[in-house]
Amino acid sequence: MSRIEEAFKRLSKGNRKALVGFLVAGDPDMERSERDCRTALENGVDVLELGVPFSDPTADGPVIQAAGQRSLAAGTTVSKVLALAKRLRRDFETPIVLFGYVNPFFNYGYEKLAQDAAAAGVDAFLVVDLPFEESGEFRVHLDKVGLDFVSLIAPTTPDARLGTLLREARGFVYYIMVKGVTGARAEVAEDVAGHLARLKMHTRLPVAAGFGVSNGIQAREAARHADGVVVGSALVKAAGEGRLVALITEIRQALDTEEK
Amino acid sequence: MKRVDMNTVPDANGHFGVYGGRYVAETLMPALIEVEKAYRAAQADPAFEAEFRGLLKHYVGRPSPLYFAPRLTEAFGGATIYLKREDLNHTGAHKVNNTLGQAILARRMGKKKLMAETGAGQHGVATATVAARFGMECDVYMGEEDIRRQAPNVKRMKLLGARVIPVTSGTKTLKDAMSEALREWVAAVDTTFYVIGTVAGPHPYPVMVRDFQSVIGIETREQFIEAESRLPDLVVACVGGGSNAAGMFYPFLKDVGVKLVGVEAAGHGIATGQHAASIEAGRAGILHGSKSYVLQDAEGQILNAHSISAGLDYPGVGPEHALWADLKRVEYSGITDAEAVAAFHELALLEGIIPALESSHALAEARKRARSVGKGGAIVVCLSGRGDKDLESVLEYDARVKS
């Protein structure tokens, strides 16, 4: 069983929701980034999404854009992110997903990347701008080394398309709750329940809902109909402000508190 | 590499050989598929074609002349020089051919709002213009640096009722404006039609923009035959994203005797690294939704382009150009800022035409090749736009060079 499957299975047995935490690797530099990742893993993050910075992040809001710029300025490369994953893997069994944009991955070479990532103990890739139609070339190599390619589903994804996308989904499914870029929102998007129910009809994989979740109340709301919740920008911001433990604890508690 | 037939691309997913495609967030995929379906339906609808042709004629002022430039010919000392006068179009550049097509399409799709990115401001003005014409709202994303460089166009867009939204990320130029426009489109995808101004971006934009701009090459071909009873030896056009070049070249692809040259901005010189020559100095990569030649570092991070011409100041190029380059059907070369400015002055002084700095790159290339094509031969230069917007940039440049 893969680490991702195992993690979600264990949580669901305990009737708990997964906290998928996103941090930009190398933000503000590799040393502090590693410390933040370890803090996240020690304090209740169930799946770690390691953001691989890209110069032109077209799906990210200001917080993650800025984090990516800091990381690039500090000299972060795909190889250095893989090395970080490897160091984390020595001490943690938590699933690690590399999360990024396609060009640095394409530039590295899909086949070599799949092999090196597997060797580093990475479990999956999530590539924002590599939709189903373009991902075949990369998925082939990930399949060979047993890594998952996480499918993104949007509120705009029509039913007819869901089936195609989810047939090839691996690991878990990432549901993008809002039409827009990453970043905090005042409220959790509308009709998340409806969309998640629609999704569940097409897949037995666990579903994590993300985009716009920044606190415990929103996390619980989003997780109500999903198997887990993704927290990105808020975590990146908290890491920068030294509030990482506080935020993770708040969200963890909210997720673990029975709704009355 | 598998042999690709130039005349049957793109495939169903928008691939021009290994290039093109749709590299966007899933949130945008359904919208792109919808645009593509609507475009294919419009293409098959004679009413769409009739409205587009009618407005090109009566609103844009087409056909634009193919002008024989006698004094330029003499100065170049070789081949006869013809200029395809896209600068005489309504709004002063070729951009309106495309924005008109996309606006008619947007209206058919029931969209009430247009959005666009712009570099030099020509595409922004052309989008604002058609938005006014069709009674639509219009948001134009423009880098702060370009807002400074192209102030007259900013005023024009505002006068036409558009909102100009300054983009402050990255280099504050076209690349960042396009990134920001893509971000905003994700949020507004239900109501807003994104009018991409060049043959780049995700499918179906590269093919759609090429088709709308092909009127340039179709007219040129007919006009040249009319004037000279044969085909030209050489056709030259500047390439940033590559829309005027794609529109000019596409109808000539099968005319194997016609040499096609795309001119990229070599900025301060390719060797300096400060240029916008994606084909000459870049390599295959993915930027803004499609795979093509991209200026990038060893790690796949996109590099900043440089050109005195805001419209060419972009680190990518349309995917079909990448294919044409690989197949060697089109030759791509570079012209520096200095060479482009010299050509700008030369055309103004010799023909009384002030060209856009973008188009000045094509003129400079024609000058270099006029002797080798030789007397008795003929070169067509796509004069993609007029240069009023560039006066400030050129005067600034001249002052800097002299001091």
Side-chain angles (χ1 to χ4, degrees):
Chain A
M1 205 186 317
S2 76
R3 284 190 203 96
I4 290 176
E5 251 181 290
E6 215 170 304
F8 277 98
K9 205 156 264 179
R10 198 179 54 244
L11 285 160
S12 103
K13 268 188 193 149
N15 224 354
R16 297 173 74 215
K17 306 287 186 176
L19 168 54
V20 180
F22 170 94
L23 288 167
V24 174
D27 167 36
D29 55 49
M30 207 38 95
E31 198 187 321
R32 277 181 280 180
S33 172
E34 179 165 353
R35 210 158 57 215
D36 289 337
C37 288
R38 289 178 180 274
T39 302
L41 292 167
E42 282 158 4
N43 286 278
V45 163
D46 302 302
V47 176
L48 178 65
E49 286 183 353
L50 264 186
V52 180
F54 180 50
S55 52
D56 297 80
T58 49
D60 281 305
V63 171
I64 296 178
Q65 279 182 48
Q69 287 307 313
R70 286 193 296 269
S71 171
L72 286 175
T76 302
T77 63
V78 174
S79 303
K80 288 181 184 174
V81 178
L82 290 171
L84 169 65
K86 198 168 189 172
R87 291 195 298 277
L88 295 172
R89 180 54 72 225
R90 276 192 220 125
D91 302 318
F92 300 93
E93 270 307 300
T94 311
I96 297 176
V97 180
L98 292 198
F99 186 116
Y101 291 81
V102 66
N103 199 51
F105 297 152
F106 172 74
N107 177 69
Y108 193 97
Y110 293 147
E111 185 171 11
K112 185 172 183 324
L113 181 60
Q115 289 165 355
D116 293 355
V122 167
D123 300 282
F125 276 85
L126 202 162
V127 190
V128 187
D129 55 348
L130 195 62
F132 176 76
E133 286 81 351
E134 302 293 346
S135 63
E137 219 184 319
F138 190 24
R139 275 187 282 129
V140 167
H141 295 295
L142 292 177
D143 277 346
K144 276 188 204 151
V145 294
L147 262 60
D148 295 326
F149 182 83
V150 177
S151 297
L152 289 152
I153 303 292
T156 50
T157 309
D159 281 331
R161 190 173 160 76
L162 267 184
T164 315
L165 265 54
L166 292 173
R167 228 178 354 261
E168 298 294 330
R170 301 280 186 277
F172 67 95
V173 175
Y174 188 133
Y175 176 67
I176 301 168
M177 291 192 290
V178 298
K179 290 173 219 154
V181 293
T182 57
R185 301 285 195 286
E187 280 161 29
V188 171
E190 278 175 39
D191 201 29
V192 171
H195 284 295
L196 287 170
R198 192 164 71 91
L199 234 155
K200 285 285 190 184
M201 285 166 59
H202 292 272
T203 184
R204 296 167 72 175
L205 290 176
V207 177
F211 275 48
V213 176
S214 59
N215 57 42
I217 294 165
Q218 289 178 335
R220 183 159 52 185
E221 174 69 27
R224 187 176 296 168
H225 310 281
D227 303 288
V229 55
V230 188
V231 184
S233 298
L235 224 55
V236 169
K237 192 156 173 267
E241 294 167 354
R243 297 187 293 108
L244 199 51
V245 176
L247 181 63
I248 293 171
T249 308
E250 176 194 333
I251 293 170
R252 191 70 266 173
Q253 279 175 357
L255 290 177
D256 290 344
T257 308
E258 282 286 330
E259 280 180 68
K260 295 283 166 353
Chain B
M1 198 175 81
K2 211 169 58 194
R3 187 74 195 164
V4 180
D5 181 356
M6 278 183 310
N7 303 300
T8 58
V9 291
D11 70 10
N13 283 316
H15 297 113
F16 297 86
V18 299
Y19 304 109
R22 275 175 301 220
Y23 293 85
V24 296
E26 171 60 23
T27 319
L28 289 180
M29 280 301 285
L32 290 171
I33 293 168
E34 189 196 339
V35 171
E36 191 202 351
K37 275 192 187 142
Y39 176 55
R40 293 298 172 206
Q43 272 185 311
D45 181 356
F48 178 87
E49 180 71 11
E51 183 174 10
F52 182 48
R53 295 295 150 197
L55 284 167
L56 282 179
K57 182 174 178 191
H58 299 290
Y59 188 67
V60 175
R62 304 203 70 95
S64 66
L66 181 69
Y67 166 70
F68 163 59
R71 300 191 67 212
L72 203 63
T73 299
E74 198 190 329
F76 284 6
T80 305
I81 309 296
Y82 281 88
L83 305 177
K84 179 59 174 167
R85 299 291 307 275
E86 292 299 301
D87 61 314
L88 293 177
N89 290 339
H90 178 43
T91 73
H94 71 290
K95 293 292 184 185
V96 72
N97 302 328
N98 167 51
T99 60
L100 193 58
Q102 290 196 43
I104 301 172
L105 185 64
R107 198 195 49 199
R108 277 173 73 100
M109 294 173 71
K111 307 286 182 188
K112 304 264 186 279
K113 184 170 174 179
L114 303 180
M115 60 177 289
E117 83 294 332
T118 197
Q122 291 303 100
H123 174 59
V125 167
T127 307
T129 298
V130 295
R133 169 64 182 72
F134 288 103
M136 291 169 162
E137 274 184 74
C138 183
D139 282 354
V140 179
Y141 292 81
M142 188 169 187
E144 256 187 355
E145 169 64 15
D146 288 339
I147 288 180
R148 186 191 66 77
R149 284 197 281 191
Q150 308 286 337
N153 272 344
V154 175
K155 289 183 188 132
R156 238 168 246 140
M157 286 184 268
K158 289 182 177 166
L159 197 68
L160 291 161
R163 275 205 309 167
V164 178
I165 297 157
V167 175
T168 55
S169 56
T171 48
K172 307 176 174 64
T173 61
L174 180 55
K175 170 181 88 122
D176 308 287
M178 191 150 177
S179 291
E180 196 59 27
L182 281 167
R183 287 185 192 108
E184 291 303 319
W185 195 33
V186 176
V189 69
D190 293 339
T191 55
T192 306
F193 188 100
Y194 182 14
V195 181
I196 293 183
T198 189
V199 289
H203 180 61
Y205 287 95
V207 64
M208 181 164 71
V209 176
R210 176 201 77 194
D211 289 350
F212 289 143
Q213 292 293 2
S214 287
V215 65
I216 302 173
I218 293 167
E219 285 177 7
T220 300
R221 204 172 173 283
E222 284 170 5
Q223 290 166 324
F224 194 91
I225 291 171
E226 171 86 29
E228 299 267 348
S229 305
R230 64 181 191 99
L231 289 170
D233 300 278
L234 174 64
V235 178
V236 187
C238 65
V239 178
S243 71
N244 87 83
M248 177 58 108
F249 294 163
Y250 187 67
F252 283 104
L253 285 183
K254 286 181 187 168
D255 301 317
V256 290
V258 179
K259 189 173 174 63
L260 305 172
V261 174
V263 186
E264 296 188 303
H268 296 317
I270 304 277
T272 65
Q274 293 184 308
H275 57 79
S278 314
I279 294 177
E280 271 185 292
R283 59 179 200 284
I286 296 132
L287 173 65
H288 293 150
S290 60
K291 189 184 282 181
S292 185
Y293 282 97
V294 177
L295 296 179
Q296 54 188 317
D297 69 11
E299 292 295 325
Q301 305 295 341
I302 309 306
L303 292 171
N304 297 327
H306 164 80
S307 170
I308 188 173
S309 142
L312 303 183
D313 197 351
Y314 183 68
V317 65
E320 194 163 17
H321 285 291
L323 176 65
W324 291 344
D326 284 5
L327 295 176
K328 303 198 185 318
R329 176 61 188 97
V330 180
E331 184 187 332
Y332 294 85
S333 63
I335 285 291
T336 63
D337 290 353
E339 291 168 322
V341 170
F344 176 96
H345 285 298
E346 187 169 36
L347 188 68
L349 289 173
L350 290 180
E351 298 285 351
I353 298 169
I354 300 173
L357 273 173
E358 290 77 15
S359 324
S360 301
H361 286 72
L363 286 164
E365 184 68 26
R367 172 179 251 294
K368 283 186 178 176
R369 291 176 186 257
R371 281 178 200 275
S372 65
V373 172
K375 288 206 161 84
I379 301 176
V380 173
V381 178
C382 188
L383 201 72
S384 56
R386 69 175 181 228
D388 312 43
K389 69 187 176 60
D390 293 315
L391 294 183
E392 205 63 36
S393 296
V394 170
L395 295 178
E396 230 176 74
Y397 181 89
D398 288 343
R400 214 169 38 240
V401 169
K402 278 195 194 104
S403 66

